[in-house]
Amino acid sequence: MDTELLKTFLEVHRTRHFGKAAENLFLTQSAVSFRIRQLEQHLGVALFSRYRNNIQLTTAGERLLPHAEAMLVTLQRARQDVAITDDQQLQLAIASTASIWDGYLLSRFNALRDQLPTFSWRAESLEREQMIRSLLERQLDLALLFDPPKTDDLMVELHTELRLIPVIRSNDKPTKAAMQSNYILVDWGTVFQIKHADILDENTKVAVRTNHAGLALSRLLQQGGAAYLPETMVQHLLELGQLQQVVDAPSIQRNLYSAYLKTTDSVSSIQQVLSGLKQVRV
């Protein structure tokens, strides 16, 4: 099967619009429609229900979705495996959420790459459910996430603890009351949301909701406001006086877990990576 058909199928599903999918794929709308018809003819089923501007997956389309994603990821990994150079002996696929990448993983990962020159990497930003599915389908070697998966097939271990602190721009008053007018709500997982609900007033005006800690920090520095961010991420900005810690709002501790398949052949490499991430100084 032509993988371009699968890519087109996924883009139409993502945009729910043939015209927008065509723009994103640099194709004409008729070419996108033709590819979808080809795929439907190949499989012998209808993949989309078309009602004017409302395009929805059929039941068959829903069943195809995870297989299409898996096939494209597998092909990508095969290409990477073939392209590994002679001085690279191991390939490892690691994933986490956008906020964990921003707030903890990215700086450590970059330093770790220099320490492990024989590793070839694939690094992804995925949502929790995608990470768990990819681990179980052997498309991913290692995931770092806040809310640990409950499945016997995965080895889940406490990796580290992140201290999330409430910070506000330096020229604003560092109080909880000041946080309520221009607040940036960062998604730090289920436990955070529960604890967070008890801290801020329900009438707090949320200016931005995001799952990107980097975006939240940039918005805070440029336009003011307040947010809960990892202490390690903002420590240098506190020292420089660009941010202040809110004095009357508590910090929130979040456990960060590692997860990998129990039966993987890469256990020793994964443990080496996890140990290295803990030891890296940033």
Side-chain angles (χ1 to χ4, degrees):
M1 183 186 295
D2 186 350
T3 57
E4 295 302 316
L5 302 185
L6 295 178
K7 291 178 183 177
T8 304
F9 164 73
L10 292 175
E11 190 62 25
V12 172
H13 163 65
R14 190 182 70 82
T15 60
R16 299 192 184 279
H17 194 282
F18 279 77
K20 291 178 181 177
E23 290 179 12
N24 294 342
L25 294 171
F26 301 99
L27 298 171
T28 63
Q29 187 167 337
S30 60
V32 168
S33 297
F34 179 69
R35 286 185 178 185
I36 296 300
R37 285 198 302 273
Q38 278 187 298
L39 185 58
E40 290 177 328
Q41 290 170 4
H42 183 83
L43 297 172
V45 294
L47 299 173
F48 292 99
S49 299
R50 303 166 178 85
Y51 301 102
R52 294 186 180 179
N53 293 326
N54 185 18
I55 298 176
Q56 300 289 335
L57 287 175
T58 62
T59 302
E62 292 282 1
R63 289 197 294 264
L64 175 62
L65 187 60
H67 297 293
E69 293 171 340
M71 282 188 280
L72 291 177
V73 169
T74 300
L75 178 60
Q76 181 186 20
R77 293 201 70 176
R79 286 172 174 164
Q80 290 173 334
D81 284 338
V82 171
I84 289 177
T85 60
D86 291 339
D87 59 345
Q88 293 177 319
Q89 301 163 3
L90 299 166
Q91 184 184 79
L92 204 74
I94 182 172
S96 194
T97 64
S99 281
I100 294 174
W101 273 109
D102 289 341
Y104 170 78
L105 188 54
L106 183 59
S107 57
R108 289 168 173 79
F109 174 72
N110 287 335
L112 190 65
R113 287 175 54 211
D114 296 334
Q115 296 178 16
L116 300 173
T118 60
F119 279 55
S120 171
W121 301 89
R122 179 163 59 86
E124 296 189 4
S125 174
L126 300 173
E127 295 302 318
R128 178 180 181 275
E129 291 72 19
Q130 290 177 287
M131 284 190 278
I132 296 171
R133 186 173 70 228
S134 296
L135 286 169
L136 295 174
E137 293 177 353
R138 296 180 182 272
Q139 298 167 14
L140 187 65
D141 297 304
L142 173 63
L144 291 172
L145 64 174
F146 284 129
D147 300 311
K150 296 184 171 80
T151 170
D152 292 337
D153 294 323
L154 297 179
M155 177 65 70
V156 179
E157 301 170 331
L158 176 62
H159 176 66
T160 190
E161 187 178 76
L162 288 187
R163 182 171 179 252
L164 305 172
I165 63 173
V167 292
I168 200 164
R169 198 169 60 169
S170 58
N171 55 346
D172 295 326
K173 191 175 181 180
T175 65
K176 187 165 67 173
M179 294 174 66
Q180 295 177 353
S181 60
N182 188 19
Y183 187 65
I184 305 166
L185 179 57
V186 185
D187 181 7
W188 293 109
T190 304
V191 173
F192 172 81
Q193 293 171 7
I194 294 171
K195 294 180 178 180
H196 181 269
D198 295 331
I199 295 172
L200 286 188
D201 188 276
E202 61 181 10
N203 296 319
T204 296
K205 181 180 178 182
V206 177
V208 177
R209 298 175 188 269
T210 181
N211 62 354
H212 284 263
L215 186 152
L217 179 58
S218 176
R219 168 66 161 70
L220 194 160
L221 291 171
Q222 293 177 16
Q223 298 179 305
Y228 267 88
L229 295 171
E231 185 176 29
T232 53
M233 184 183 189
V234 298
Q235 186 61 49
H236 68 292
L237 296 172
L238 293 170
E239 294 171 355
L240 291 172
Q242 296 182 35
L243 295 177
Q244 300 178 87
Q245 183 171 344
V246 176
V247 295
D248 55 349
S251 61
I252 298 177
Q253 305 292 126
R254 286 258 46 199
N255 289 334
L256 182 61
Y257 296 89
S258 62
Y260 54 90
L261 200 62
K262 287 182 178 178
T263 57
T264 181
D265 296 330
S266 304
V267 171
S268 60
S269 298
I270 290 170
Q271 291 177 343
Q272 185 179 3
V273 168
L274 291 172
S275 176
L277 288 174
K278 291 179 180 179
Q279 294 173 14
V280 166
R281 294 186 178 275
V282 294

